[in-house]
Every structure is written in C-alpha cells, then in structure tokens.
Amino acid sequence: MALSVPIRMSQNKLDKRKNILLILACTIFYTVFVTLMNNWKVFSFVTIICCILYTFLITSFASRGSLLLKATSTMIAWFSLHAIDYLIFYCFLMIAGHSLDISKCVETVMSSGNMRAVFLAIDKLIEIVIFILCRKIYDKLRLLDQKYLGVVLAITTGSYIVMSVITAFIMSSTLWIIQLTVIFALVFIVLSFIMTVFAISLSSKYQTEKREIELMSLTNEMMKKNFEQTQNAQTAVRHQVHDFKNHMRTLNGMLENGSPAKKYVEDLLSVSYEQAKLCHSNNDVINSVINCKIEEARDENIPFEHYVMLSSPVYLSSVDICAILANQIDNAIEACKRINNGKERSIKVKIWQKEAFLFFKVTNTAPGNPFDEKKELKSSKTDNTDMHGLGVKNIMRTVSRYGGTLKNEYANGYFTSVAMLPNNKLN
C-alpha cells in the first residue's frame, strides 16, 4: 500500500506486469529493512524518515508525475496508512491492554501471536477498503496546480509530524497525560485526514471547472472562426455560380444555332440550381451560424426552418452568439439524428427582439424525454469521458454571464430551448 498508492497517484509509467513485480520486490526489501530497524527500536523517527525517502525514490522511478506530485502522493500515502495504523492500534490498546503502563500494553498487543495477527488483519483490511473507496480522490490529485499540490503537501507533512510526535509522547508519559494525549491525537488525526481529503476534493473540483471553462472558451472562439470561414466560402461559391451562369450565357450567344455545343449549353442553363433558403439578417454571425447549420441539417435529411427578425443591432459578442446559438442547434441536430423515421425530424429556429431583450429559440423533434427524474438533461453519449453536457453548460454559462435566462422544455415529442438575454450597449 505504501508503494502502490503513491505510484498510482503519480500515474505509473511501467506496464502492469512490470509495475506489480517492482512493487513486490521493493516491498520485500522494505519489510526486511523495517524488521531490522524495529529490532533496534520499536518506534524511531529515523525508521519513518528512511521509509518515506525510500518510497519517494521508488515512486520517482516508477511514475511520470512531477517531483512535487510524487512528494505529495508519498506523504499522503504514509500519512493515511499511519493514521489508520495508530487509530486501530489505540483501539486495541484500550480493549486488550491490562496494565497502566502503556509500554506493557504495547508489548501485550504486539508480542501475542493471536492478538498481533488479528490486529494486522483488521488493520490491513481497513487500509485496503479505504484505498478502494478513495482511489477516485487520489486520481484527482494529478489535476491540481503546483500551488495546490504544495498546500496539500504542507498540510499532510505537518499533520504527519504532529501525529508522530504525539505518538512518541504517548509512549513515554504518565497515565493521565496519556489519556488526554490519546483523545487529542484521535481528534487531530481524524480532522487532519478529513482536511486533506477535503482540500484535494475542493481543489480538484475547482481545477475541473477551470478546465471546462477554458475548453468552452477555446471551443467558442474556434466555432466563431469556423463559421466565419464557412460563411466566406459559401459567399464565394454563390459568386462563382453567378459568374458561371453569366459565362455560359455569353458562350451560348457565341455558338451557332443548332450546333450540338449550343444545345448542350442551353441544357446546362435550363437546369435549376436550387439554392437553400439562406439567412440574410443584419447580423453576420447569426447568418453564418444558421447558414452553416442549414447545410449540416440537409446532409442529415433534417428539415430546417428559420425566422430571424432583428429591428436593432445585436450587442452580444460574436463568440457568445456562437456559444448560444450553435450549441442549441447542435443539440437539436443530435436529437433528430436519433430519430429513425426521417419524416418525423424537424428543426425550427426563431430569433427576435422584444424591448431590450434578445431571444434565441430552437425547437426540434426528439426521440424521447431528455430529462431524468431530477429534471436534468441526460447525455445521449455512451462513452465514459468527463466532458458530457458541455454544450448545455456552455449555453448556461454564457446566458448567466449576461444576466439572462435559459428555459428548456419537452412536450408532445418536441424539445424547446429558449435563451433570453438583455441586449444593450453595456454588454
């Protein structure tokens, strides 16, 4: 446990077989070393320091994390193991100890074959259970920034030092001091352990949220650039089609009547180049997003309708318009793609202004109720990544930043998403 936990925290770099063999070999050496040290002195700070340094060296060799991460994971592993050891040992002393002399109680527990075997079995079983329960928290340690790793390392190291000093004090004091010290030690160990776990959980949650925000901001900026490029490409294609028709008409006039070439050109000109009903509002970003999504919907055989009525300028940033509108339509397209019957697919987009507010409304058919029993949107993705639901989070984050509202509803086979935002120059 003292080796496998910090190696896992720091992300082992060896394959599974080599990692197991390394831990087994190092554990044998560690056991021999501790046994020799305990024959010299049962409780020694020298033994503890040597074991911690030994663990750090093995972790440094077998894992790929930073030195600070390896040091922090080493201290967390040793603090957790010894905190559990001491708590269980104190409980055994109170149950099995028959002498007022603490050293005799220790000797009773540790020298008795049956008593020692029971103590070790319970102690290691509890350590394994706690490790299994906390392994997700341990894995999150790798997500922390260096400064948070430093804080966790300082807390853990300080707690470990105090815990070890208290234990040494207990071993050499009078009964009433021992009783008070044991109570204080138990409370301190529990609180320190809780603070360490809480610090890791809180910091990792903050880091996860920070990563999501950074990812959403980067995605929004990339979407904006992509839609701008798509809009420019669509405009260029329309110009080329227009020029092509003019060239063909000119060529047609230059050819002899009745010639095969003239007939071929006339056939080309008679073809109706059906164009999609593109969006032509007074906002280029809204135009590019909707026109791009029209093409995507057409490729997926999804009827797409849009209505945009803007009576005044839109003061939202281009990136935020993409974050809201593009994610709303993307979610609608994903829902429609899961409907097998193409005739039941449909998407309707409506954008309008009312007083000082701007509304984005997207309605689409859905294969079923997307809300769970907690009235929260369920993800349709089946993979195990941690990035599910970022589209909806992106919309909510952007809307809330403007002080607006987002309302999602499902009724009669239709899902509706309405985002309302204040539209003023202060944006």
Side-chain angles (χ1 to χ4, degrees):
M1 296 294 290
L3 290 172
S4 60
V5 171
I7 290 175
R8 171 166 178 165
M9 287 186 198
S10 303
Q11 194 173 17
N12 59 291
K13 63 182 179 183
L14 303 176
D15 59 55
K16 188 175 181 180
R17 181 173 175 274
K18 291 182 179 179
N19 190 59
I20 293 175
L21 291 175
L22 175 68
I23 292 176
L24 287 175
C26 294
T27 300
I28 294 172
F29 178 83
Y30 161 78
T31 303
V32 173
F33 173 76
V34 172
T35 302
L36 294 175
M37 294 298 289
N38 285 340
N39 289 334
W40 165 60
K41 190 173 183 180
V42 175
F43 183 89
S44 171
F45 288 111
V46 175
T47 305
I48 295 176
I49 294 173
C50 290
C51 290
I52 292 174
L53 291 175
Y54 175 72
T55 303
F56 174 72
L57 291 175
I58 300 302
T59 302
S60 298
F61 170 77
S63 61
R64 63 179 82 249
S66 64
L67 287 178
L68 182 57
L69 175 60
K70 294 170 182 176
T72 304
S73 59
T74 298
M75 290 307 304
I76 288 177
W78 274 97
F79 172 71
S80 302
L81 291 174
H82 273 177
I84 297 169
D85 289 342
Y86 292 155
L87 283 172
I88 297 174
F89 189 65
Y90 292 151
C91 292
F92 262 77
L93 289 182
M94 289 184 285
I95 295 172
H98 301 292
S99 172
L100 297 180
D101 187 347
I102 191 71
S103 61
K104 291 184 178 180
C105 291
V106 173
E107 185 179 353
T108 300
V109 173
M110 300 307 293
S111 62
S112 173
N114 293 334
M115 187 67 69
R116 180 181 174 85
V118 172
F119 163 72
L120 291 176
I122 295 175
D123 180 55
K124 299 310 173 186
L125 178 62
I126 292 176
E127 287 177 353
I128 292 172
V129 171
I130 291 177
F131 168 68
I132 294 173
L133 294 176
C134 296
R135 66 186 185 278
K136 291 184 178 180
I137 297 177
Y138 290 155
D139 290 341
K140 291 180 179 179
L141 192 68
R142 295 192 293 269
L143 302 177
L144 300 184
D145 285 342
Q146 295 294 300
K147 60 181 180 180
Y148 293 106
L149 280 174
V151 171
V152 174
L153 176 60
I155 293 175
T156 309
T157 304
S159 301
Y160 193 13
I161 292 172
V162 174
M163 181 178 66
S164 300
V165 170
I166 289 174
T167 302
F169 188 65
I170 289 174
M171 300 289 289
S172 59
S173 300
T174 58
L175 181 60
W176 69 274
I177 295 179
I178 290 173
Q179 292 173 337
L180 292 176
T181 307
V182 167
I183 295 174
F184 173 78
L186 290 174
V187 173
F188 176 81
I189 291 171
V190 172
L191 290 178
S192 297
F193 186 78
I194 293 174
M195 286 177 61
T196 303
V197 173
F198 179 74
I200 295 173
S201 300
L202 186 64
S203 299
S204 61
K205 181 180 179 181
Y206 167 77
Q207 291 302 315
T208 300
E209 292 176 351
K210 182 180 177 181
R211 286 172 58 233
E212 284 188 354
I213 292 174
E214 290 174 350
L215 179 60
M216 286 188 286
S217 298
L218 178 61
T219 301
N220 295 342
E221 188 64 38
M222 292 177 64
M223 279 196 301
K224 173 180 173 290
K225 292 180 180 180
N226 180 62
F227 289 132
E228 289 176 347
Q229 293 172 355
T230 302
Q231 179 74 356
N232 293 335
Q234 290 174 340
T235 301
V237 169
R238 288 197 297 272
H239 289 164
Q240 289 172 357
V241 171
H242 181 268
D243 292 342
F244 172 76
K245 287 184 176 180
N246 289 333
H247 289 310
M248 294 303 293
R249 290 190 184 100
T250 302
L251 180 61
N252 185 48
M254 298 170 63
L255 296 172
E256 294 182 7
N257 292 330
S259 66
K262 187 175 183 66
K263 185 178 184 305
Y264 179 74
V265 171
E266 288 176 346
D267 289 340
L268 283 176
L269 289 172
S270 66
V271 174
S272 175
Y273 290 94
E274 183 178 342
Q275 297 291 323
K277 296 180 179 178
L278 300 178
C279 181
H280 300 287
S281 70
N282 59 3
N283 186 280
D284 292 338
V285 179
I286 291 176
N287 292 342
S288 63
V289 172
I290 291 181
N291 291 337
C292 180
K293 296 306 176 185
I294 286 174
E295 298 298 328
E296 288 186 29
R298 175 188 289 177
D299 292 340
E300 297 294 341
N301 192 29
I302 302 173
F304 191 106
E305 299 179 22
H306 66 275
Y307 170 83
V308 182
M309 182 58 66
L310 302 175
S311 56
S312 61
V314 175
Y315 295 107
L316 276 66
S317 75
S318 300
V319 173
D320 291 335
I321 292 174
C322 289
I324 297 170
L325 183 58
N327 279 301
Q328 282 181 307
I329 300 177
D330 281 341
N331 292 339
I333 292 175
E334 285 298 320
C336 286
K337 285 165 63 177
R338 289 185 283 115
I339 299 176
N340 295 326
N341 189 347
K343 295 181 179 179
E344 296 179 358
R345 299 176 175 183
S346 73
I347 296 175
K348 296 180 180 180
V349 178
K350 183 178 180 182
I351 303 173
W352 74 99
Q353 292 169 315
K354 184 176 181 181
E355 298 177 353
F357 292 92
L358 178 64
F359 295 82
F360 296 90
K361 180 180 180 180
V362 177
T363 302
N364 60 274
T365 49
N369 190 345
F371 294 97
D372 58 22
E373 58 276 4
K374 297 180 181 179
K375 304 298 181 182
E376 295 180 355
L377 286 172
K378 298 178 290 187
S379 174
S380 61
K381 296 183 177 68
T382 57
D383 56 273
N384 295 321
T385 60
D386 296 330
M387 295 295 131
H388 289 175
L390 277 187
V392 176
K393 289 181 181 179
N394 207 345
I395 300 171
M396 294 177 64
R397 172 177 169 267
T398 306
V399 169
S400 62
R401 193 152 43 80
Y402 283 89
T405 60
L406 175 66
K407 186 176 182 180
N408 296 319
E409 293 181 330
Y410 173 81
N412 302 321
Y414 286 87
F415 178 81
T416 302
S417 173
V418 181
M420 181 187 74
L421 300 92
N423 182 44
N424 52 63
K425 292 183 179 181
L426 296 178
N427 291 342

